[in-house]
Amino acid sequence: MRQIIYSVKNFKKLNKEQKWKLSLKIIACIFGLAIIFVAGIFLYFAKDLPDANGVSDRMVVESTKIMDRTGQHILYEVHGEEKRTIIQFSDMPDNIKYATIALEDQDFYSHHGIKITSIVRALLKDFIKRGASQGGSTITQQFVKKSMLSDEKTFTRKIKEAILSFELETKYSKDEILSMYLNQIPYGSNAYGIEAASQTFFGKSARELTLDEAALLAALPQAPSYYSPHGSHLDALKARQEYALKQMEKLGYITSEQLEEYKDADVLSKIKPFQESINAPHFVMYVKEYLEKNYGQQAVEQGGLKVFTTLDWDKQQIAEKAVKESAEKNEKNWNAYNSSLVAMDPKTGQILAMVGSKDFFGKSQPEGCISGKDCKFEPQDNVSIRDRQPGSSFKPYVYLTAFKEGYTPETILFDVKTNFGSEKGSKDYEPQNYDGKFRGPLKMKETLAQSLNIPAVKTLYLTGIKDSIDTAKGLGITGLNNKTDYYGLSLVLGGGEVKLLDHVSAFSTLATGGIKREKNAIMKIEDSKGEILEEYKSSEGERAIEEKYVAMLDHILSTNDFRAPVFGENSPPRFDSRPVAAKTGTTNEFRDGWVIGYTPSLAVGVWSGNNDNTPMKLGADGVNVSAPIWRDFLDQVLKNYSIENFPKYEKEETGKD
């Protein structure tokens, strides 16, 4: 080194050959110092850098998918700030890969993670602007920045970015890096990764993207907010999309004919309206609540769970249409602003359809009402899991209790004016039938089928309130948890409260001849790696009540002749082609209208009324406001079910009189 310094001082005295040798030594020295300097910087920053080895195995925030039972229909994606679906590189179409490369990094497959010329150009811009700009980034650098570093605009971050990019290129193939990039990059509207972007903006899987659609999505990552398809710079977005297509043609990824065809395509008209995509919304929220309770909110929003629910997509569509169409008529004709429907498979306990209100996305009625108090209709309130008085639809539980205790469908009850005395210090209890008439001696099967109140109260009096509640809870009712003396004899007329979902579940137990299976909404849950966290297992269930008693109830509720004297020969519960058991219910002042029914393979219940419990119009009983929905649903769905018979009721010669 001293010799070099000495030679430099005496440079003029050196001959031509000596000057040449000295220049080479100086260049070599500078190059060596540069290497040492760069190595020093590398070592200084590398000690604090994240490990690039595990970048492909890192925990990536991924949305939870809630799907129907087949997995063919995504009902909802649960996500936090990042909505993401990881897909394989083979599922990404070439057009999105090429469009991304054409716009973001045309030399992607030839560089080693960084481009010196781009970095120098960016540094010059930084120096001129006296600040750190965002230019000069390769796809690898962009991926490193988004997945391993931050977006801070500092020279330090850029150095770390370059080091990690180079390291990443030595550990992963170009296809692996591009795959990670396309699964990571933000596209706007909380959509991260190409699959979420494709679903968000075009409502389809990434593998189905056309060339013009792929070019538009590739245009978004540079400035997701500015270029948003839901924003106000659509002209700029279209211009950048066309530029992407031109670059693809220039690089040989597409032909000139394809350029002209897709450049002129009206791709903006394909954009989905901005709306959080959710199908079977009340059911989805019911499932989401279950997931958060059992797996935690973070796992649900970021863990990438795949949830296969029990929902039958076709039945759900039929149910939603039936509820919406009849609810509009009910509002006009009966002052009933809302309805709800639940359908279950009695043999499995699986929820097949759930419509919590007539329109999840509708407006509260009347507008400006206070939720839970003055709203006749609250769109997002799931009425199927709310406590409502069941009216006469509760009577089958009481009669079933009587059958267990030795009474039979042929037992005589007297439908006459009856004073049951006072209860809890109140005035004497003298229930009335719906029409104010008395019919004298009738068989139990007639009093239940015709939904006569006085004989029903007598039946509860004979069986006891506690035993009747125990029967209801044994079948599937989860409410009625107050002390027994809280409930009076009006319980049989709907004086307690039940949930529609529970009511259908309990009737499902009747549909199986007394075998109870717990209601459930989950077929299978997988984590992001495909490992099964929980899965539905078929069960023999547990016997809640002997079949012979249920057969008595089936016989009564499915025989049209028994109900005809009150409901007429052609009421909605009448089925001539197959056995169908059904029971309606109406509460005081027509506040609730119900119908619950079942076949051996399907149980369906409908509630109609007003969320705030205000009365409907006079005459708005279950037959008028709920039975049309129930019948419309069953007429369409039962076409795909074979005809099954209930257990045969064998008339007993003995029994209590």
Side-chain angles (χ1 to χ4, degrees), residues 366-380:
E367 290 190 27
C369 62
I370 300 174
S371 177
K373 182 179 180 182
D374 301 316
C375 295
K376 292 184 177 181
F377 171 60
E378 294 182 70
Q380 296 180 12

Side-chain angles (χ1 to χ4, degrees), residues 70-361:
T70 67
Q72 298 294 315
H73 300 278
I74 296 178
L75 305 177
Y76 185 55
E77 287 193 50
V78 187
H79 59 86
E81 291 298 317
E82 299 182 20
K83 180 169 65 175
R84 178 186 284 108
T85 300
I86 303 297
I87 60 174
Q88 298 298 316
F89 191 63
S90 58
D91 289 330
M92 299 175 184
D94 289 340
N95 53 31
I96 191 61
K97 300 172 187 174
Y98 297 152
T100 301
I101 291 171
L103 280 179
E104 301 294 336
D105 188 359
Q106 296 180 6
D107 300 320
F108 174 70
Y109 279 98
S110 60
H111 63 62
H112 297 287
I114 57 176
K115 290 190 288 187
I116 300 299
T117 55
S118 296
I119 292 176
V120 171
R121 185 165 55 249
L123 289 174
L124 288 174
K125 288 182 180 179
D126 294 345
F127 179 77
I128 294 171
K129 295 179 179 180
R130 299 189 180 279
S133 70
Q134 291 298 97
S137 293
T138 64
I139 282 177
T140 310
Q141 287 175 277
Q142 291 179 48
F143 171 69
V144 166
K145 179 175 64 178
K146 293 297 182 184
S147 64
M148 304 175 72
L149 299 173
S150 67
D151 284 331
E152 61 176 340
K153 299 180 180 180
T154 64
F155 293 112
T156 300
R157 197 269 297 156
K158 283 194 171 185
I159 292 171
K160 293 179 179 179
E161 179 185 296
I163 295 171
L164 281 171
S165 297
F166 183 78
E167 186 179 356
L168 205 66
E169 292 268 349
T170 65
K171 300 181 183 298
Y172 297 96
S173 69
K174 288 289 187 178
D175 285 353
E176 288 174 322
I177 293 172
L178 183 57
S179 176
M180 289 187 286
Y181 172 87
L182 289 172
N183 274 319
Q184 177 79 29
I185 206 74
Y187 287 84
S189 297
N190 292 112
Y192 285 71
I194 189 59
E195 178 68 14
S198 182
Q199 293 286 358
T200 297
F201 297 116
F202 292 110
K204 62 170 70 174
S205 174
R207 70 171 66 93
E208 300 171 345
L209 288 170
T210 57
L211 182 55
D212 56 325
E213 295 166 347
L216 183 135
L217 293 183
L220 300 179
Q222 186 186 65
S225 296
Y226 180 82
Y227 289 119
S228 172
H230 299 135
S232 56
H233 302 101
L234 298 183
D235 290 343
L237 172 60
K238 186 66 173 75
R240 182 163 170 78
Q241 183 249 10
E242 291 180 9
Y243 175 73
L245 292 169
K246 291 174 183 176
Q247 290 300 103
M248 292 175 75
E249 191 265 346
K250 179 181 176 181
L251 296 170
Y253 291 133
I254 63 174
T255 65
S256 56
E257 288 78 14
Q258 287 177 304
L259 170 62
E260 293 304 316
E261 177 185 354
Y262 288 101
K263 179 170 66 70
D264 296 332
D266 187 8
V267 66
L268 295 177
S269 67
K270 302 180 184 180
I271 299 296
K272 285 176 55 181
F274 181 72
Q275 178 178 309
E276 189 75 14
S277 178
I278 179 170
N279 297 300
H282 290 102
F283 176 76
V284 161
M285 294 305 158
Y286 175 78
V287 170
K288 182 172 177 284
E289 183 178 341
Y290 169 85
L291 295 173
E292 290 179 348
K293 179 181 178 181
N294 288 275
Y295 296 94
Q297 183 176 349
Q298 183 175 0
V300 174
E301 292 186 351
Q302 303 178 12
L305 304 178
K306 292 181 176 61
V307 183
F308 297 83
T309 69
T310 59
L311 188 103
D312 185 306
W313 177 257
D314 293 334
K315 290 182 177 62
Q316 180 69 20
Q317 303 310 297
I318 294 171
E320 290 180 4
K321 186 172 182 290
V323 168
K324 190 166 187 177
E325 289 180 352
S326 287
E328 292 175 357
K329 298 175 183 177
N330 284 344
E331 181 179 339
K332 179 181 178 181
N333 299 329
W334 300 108
N335 194 37
Y337 282 77
N338 206 3
S339 293
S340 180
L341 181 151
V342 170
M344 294 180 65
D345 180 349
K347 297 178 179 179
T348 62
Q350 295 173 2
I351 301 170
L352 302 176
M354 176 187 284
V355 183
S357 78
K358 66 181 181 182
D359 184 2
F360 183 87
F361 299 105

Side-chain angles (χ1 to χ4, degrees), residues 372-378 387-389 497 587-592 607 609-616:
K373 182 179 180 182
D374 301 316
C375 295
K376 292 184 177 181
F377 171 60
E378 294 182 70
D387 285 323
R388 305 288 306 199
Q389 289 196 343
E497 291 184 330
T587 57
N588 288 340
E589 299 180 313
F590 301 98
R591 297 177 188 272
D592 305 87
W607 167 92
N610 295 311
N611 286 65
D612 63 359
N613 207 36
T614 55
M616 299 177 282

